[in-house]
């Protein structure tokens, strides 16, 4: 089967499974793959582009040993550390981003999970924002209980973010302080209570292309709504500080493959856009239909105004 034939099957309702022969994504013509992925994006998502932004609500001293992360206590980086920030600062950022055209806003915190007084602070600030701002809200607080997730939902959070990071096979090479199955269990609980789930991962951490395919399949099987794709920006002081960065073509091939396997999901361009030309313009012609805008957690992103200008130039509806 050619990539064009596979595209036509997907446009007609077929969904890729682990029973399919998927080496085609590695060997097919690059330009043909990207064009086909863009047609799938247009069919199922149209020209609408979603912008989301994040604020780092609590930074550093993380108990988990993720090898890519500047905030892990196991890694010796120059990451800024601070406790849960004031409500006023979070609300002010949300207001600013909403006024600039952002559709979703998320608080992200370091650590295995958010609990105690910090979790109560998060609940209170989400209640404030959801009662005053016309935007959607997300949260990324690690491993939460069902009751905690229900409280977030009641406070106005409509989508929870929880990356699986990589494939099941490769996960122990990335982190050993928690498991892949713990990630999947959290995703399952989020969906059970009726919240949307945002889950993706990071490419360029020494995994194979087969690992990326496996990650895309796992997210498809879990019914993930939004898939952020990050390209690793190696950070000094982490075990991956000297890893070779991915080429633009390899990042784009991966994004296109994710669109084939998850045709109706939101494919979100996240960290690593510096590795792509013109703020990732080609990615939006290879299957992507959303982005994290503004500043990333520990690596600089692009400006909201610049992203909106790019999308309008491309004829996309922001």
């Amino acid at each position: 089967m050619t990539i064009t034939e596979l595209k036509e099957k997907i446009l007609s309702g077929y969904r890729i499974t682990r029973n399919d022969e998927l080496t085609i994504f590695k060997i097919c013509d690059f330009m043909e793959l990207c064009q086909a992925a863009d047609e799938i994006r247009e069919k199922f998502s149209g020209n609408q582009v979603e912008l989301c932004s994040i604020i780092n609500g609590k930074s550093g001293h993380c108990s988990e040993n993720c090898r890519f992360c500047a905030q892990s206590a196991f890694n010796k980086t120059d990451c800024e550390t601070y406790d849960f920030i004031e409500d006023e600062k979070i609300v002010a950022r949300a207001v600013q981003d909403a006024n600039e055209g952002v559709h979703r806003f998320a608080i992200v915190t370091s650590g295995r999970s958010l609990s105690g007084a910090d979790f109560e602070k998060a609940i209170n600030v989400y209640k404030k924002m959801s009662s005053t701002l016309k935007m959607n809200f997300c949260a990324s607080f690690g491993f939460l209980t069902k009751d905690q997730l229900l409280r977030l939902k009641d406070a106005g959070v409509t989508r929870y973010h929880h990356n699986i990071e990589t494939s099941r096979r490769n996960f122990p090479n990335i982190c050993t302080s928690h498991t892949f199955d713990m990630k999947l269990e959290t995703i399952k609980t989020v969906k059970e209570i009726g919240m949307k789930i945002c889950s993706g991962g990071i490419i360029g951490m020494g995994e194979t292309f087969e690992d990326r395919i496996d990650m895309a399949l796992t997210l498809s099987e879990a019914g993930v709504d939004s898939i952020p794709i990050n390209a690793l920006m190696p950070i000094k002081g982490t075990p991956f500080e000297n890893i070779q960065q991915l080429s633009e073509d390899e990042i784009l091939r991966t994004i296109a493959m994710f669109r084939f396997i998850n045709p109706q999901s939101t494919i979100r361009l996240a960290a690593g856009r510096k590795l792509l030309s013109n703020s990732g313009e080609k990615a939006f012609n290879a299957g992507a239909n959303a982005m994290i805008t503004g500043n990333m957690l520990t690596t600089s992103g692009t400006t909201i105004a610049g992203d909106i200008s790019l999308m309008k130039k491309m004829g996309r509806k922001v």
Side-chain angles (χ1 to χ4, degrees), residues 182-194:
M182 289 171 64
K183 296 275 194 182
L184 296 181
E185 188 61 30
T186 299
I187 292 172
K188 180 181 177 182
T189 304
V190 170
K191 293 186 69 68
E192 282 178 351
I193 67 167

Side-chain angles (χ1 to χ4, degrees), residues 58 60-61 66 70 97 100 110 127 151 164 189 219 221 224 238 243 248-249 253 258 268-269 309-310 314:
K58 180 181 179 182
H61 296 306
C66 304
D97 289 359
E100 288 195 51
S110 66
K127 287 180 177 178
R151 290 191 64 196
I164 63 171
T189 304
L219 295 170
E221 292 160 354
V224 169
T238 68
I243 203 166
E248 181 171 39
D249 283 1
R253 183 177 287 274
F258 266 79
R268 189 177 305 278
L269 200 60
S309 177
L310 174 62
M314 295 181 68

Side-chain angles (χ1 to χ4, degrees), residues 27-90:
I27 64 176
C28 68
D29 180 78
F30 171 70
M31 294 303 296
E32 185 180 1
L33 175 65
C34 291
Q35 175 60 41
D38 195 48
E39 291 181 42
I40 295 171
R41 183 272 311 163
E42 186 173 12
K43 164 74 174 181
F44 294 107
S45 303
N47 286 325
Q48 194 75 29
V49 176
E50 183 186 78
L51 306 182
C52 69
S53 63
I54 60 179
I55 186 168
N56 197 3
K58 180 181 179 182
S59 181
H61 296 306
C62 183
S63 63
E64 307 307 287
N65 64 0
C66 304
R67 293 166 64 84
F68 58 83
C69 187
Q71 299 194 56
S72 171
F74 290 83
N75 300 330
K76 308 302 180 184
T77 70
D78 295 327
C79 175
E80 185 179 6
T81 61
Y82 49 82
D83 294 328
F84 200 91
I85 60 179
E86 301 83 5
D87 285 11
E88 294 76 12
K89 185 174 182 179
I90 296 173

Side-chain angles (χ1 to χ4, degrees), residues 167-238:
S167 68
R168 177 183 290 278
R169 182 205 69 82
N170 192 47
F171 191 84
N173 298 324
I174 305 302
C175 177
T176 58
S177 54
H178 56 263
T179 68
F180 196 74
D181 284 323
M182 289 171 64
K183 296 275 194 182
L184 296 181
E185 188 61 30
T186 299
I187 292 172
K188 180 181 177 182
T189 304
V190 170
K191 293 186 69 68
E192 282 178 351
I193 67 167
M195 288 176 69
K196 299 289 187 180
I197 184 71
C198 178
S199 181
I202 307 173
I203 61 174
M205 297 192 293
E207 77 284 346
T208 65
F209 198 84
E210 287 77 11
D211 284 315
R212 296 177 206 159
I213 292 173
D214 187 74
M215 178 169 65
L217 287 166
T218 298
L219 295 170
S220 174
E221 292 160 354
V224 169
D225 304 286
S226 171
I227 302 175
I229 299 177
N230 302 267
L232 183 70
M233 300 290 289
I235 298 170
K236 186 177 181 180
T238 68

